[in-house]
Amino acid sequence: MLTGPAIRKAIEAGEITIEPYTWSFAGPNSYDVRLASELKTYRLPDCRWPLDSRSDNACDDLLIPESGLILKPNILYLGRTIERLHSNTYAATIHGRSSVGRLGITVHQTAAFIDVGFSGVVTLEIVVVHPVRVHAGMRIAQVAFHPLVGDVELYVGKYQHAVSVEASKLFRDDETKEHEPSHE
């Protein structure tokens, strides 16, 4: 894992891109990222219930007002980072900041991994344990960068070049579609 000074050097060398970049957001071994103003929630119960992994499930868009937005338990809020990240040299992971976690906010459910070659904003999977007000621009998560071992294959997946909150695109994966058996 890169240290804060190593993250700064990698940015200066062009090995990591963080836009916009704030020098003071680099900590001892991570870089803090901020919550953008837009969120999405799955449209329930109006959409198909339960959510279907083979479908493009309907979402509602939310905007965090200047006064903040109270998030409620038992709802998955999809948010995003303000910062756009990119590296063809390092893989990264995203985790909640400890101060955010101590408010009962979880920023990812299972998708902490950011592949080498990914370029875009990072979608957050936000859940809270009790009602809590969040504000656009708050430092909500931290990104750690990891050196790679072996040949590098750059990410070219379905979330590449994300500029907004991305709902699940699992329905696009081959394993969710029925295939005819091969007769070869």
Side-chain angles (χ1 to χ4, degrees), residues 77 96 100-101 104-109 124-129 140:
Y77 295 89
V100 171
I105 301 170
T106 302
V107 299
H108 75 81
Q109 296 305 297
L124 305 170
E125 305 137 356
I126 304 168
V127 176
V128 300
V129 297
I140 194 162

Side-chain angles (χ1 to χ4, degrees), residues 103-164:
L103 291 174
I105 301 170
T106 302
V107 299
H108 75 81
Q109 296 305 297
T110 62
F113 197 74
I114 303 168
D115 287 305
V116 63
F118 171 80
S119 180
V121 297
V122 178
T123 294
L124 305 170
E125 305 137 356
I126 304 168
V127 176
V128 300
V129 297
H130 47 253
V132 61
R133 185 182 308 272
V134 297
H135 298 272
M138 68 185 277
R139 290 190 291 164
I140 194 162
Q142 54 193 347
V143 178
F145 295 91
H146 309 276
L148 302 170
V149 176
D151 296 335
V152 173
E153 293 182 12
L154 300 178
Y155 177 79
V156 293
K158 56 191 167 281
Y159 302 107
Q160 183 67 299
H161 303 299
V163 296
S164 61

Side-chain angles (χ1 to χ4, degrees), residues 4-170:
I7 292 169
R8 289 187 190 108
K9 286 180 185 174
I11 289 169
E12 291 170 6
E15 297 172 342
I16 295 173
T17 302
I18 301 174
E19 295 174 342
Y21 173 72
T22 303
W23 187 87
S24 63
F25 286 5
N29 51 13
S30 64
Y31 183 87
D32 288 350
V33 290
R34 297 168 295 155
L35 179 63
S37 61
E38 65 263 19
L39 300 172
K40 286 186 185 288
T41 57
Y42 287 103
R43 188 173 300 146
L44 301 173
D46 297 338
C47 75
R48 294 174 289 279
W49 181 251
L51 294 176
D52 187 344
S53 63
R54 291 187 179 177
S55 297
D56 186 6
N57 296 285
C59 289
D60 289 320
D61 295 320
L62 300 171
L63 192 61
I64 300 173
E66 183 67 31
S67 60
L69 180 70
I70 298 174
L71 303 184
K72 300 173 186 168
N74 301 316
I75 298 174
L76 175 64
Y77 295 89
L78 299 175
R80 72 166 179 89
T81 60
I82 290 174
E83 291 78 10
R84 185 185 72 79
L85 305 176
H86 174 74
S87 179
N88 285 344
T89 308
Y90 301 98
T93 52
I94 190 163
H95 303 280
R97 295 179 63 227
S98 61
S99 295
V100 171
R102 290 173 183 156
L103 291 174
I105 301 170
T106 302
V107 299
H108 75 81
Q109 296 305 297
T110 62
F113 197 74
I114 303 168
D115 287 305
V116 63
F118 171 80
S119 180
V121 297
V122 178
T123 294
L124 305 170
E125 305 137 356
I126 304 168
V127 176
V128 300
V129 297
H130 47 253
V132 61
R133 185 182 308 272
V134 297
H135 298 272
M138 68 185 277
R139 290 190 291 164
I140 194 162
Q142 54 193 347
V143 178
F145 295 91
H146 309 276
L148 302 170
V149 176
D151 296 335
V152 173
E153 293 182 12
L154 300 178
Y155 177 79
V156 293
K158 56 191 167 281
Y159 302 107
Q160 183 67 299
H161 303 299
V163 296
S164 61
V165 177
E166 297 282 345
S168 175
K169 295 179 183 177
L170 183 64

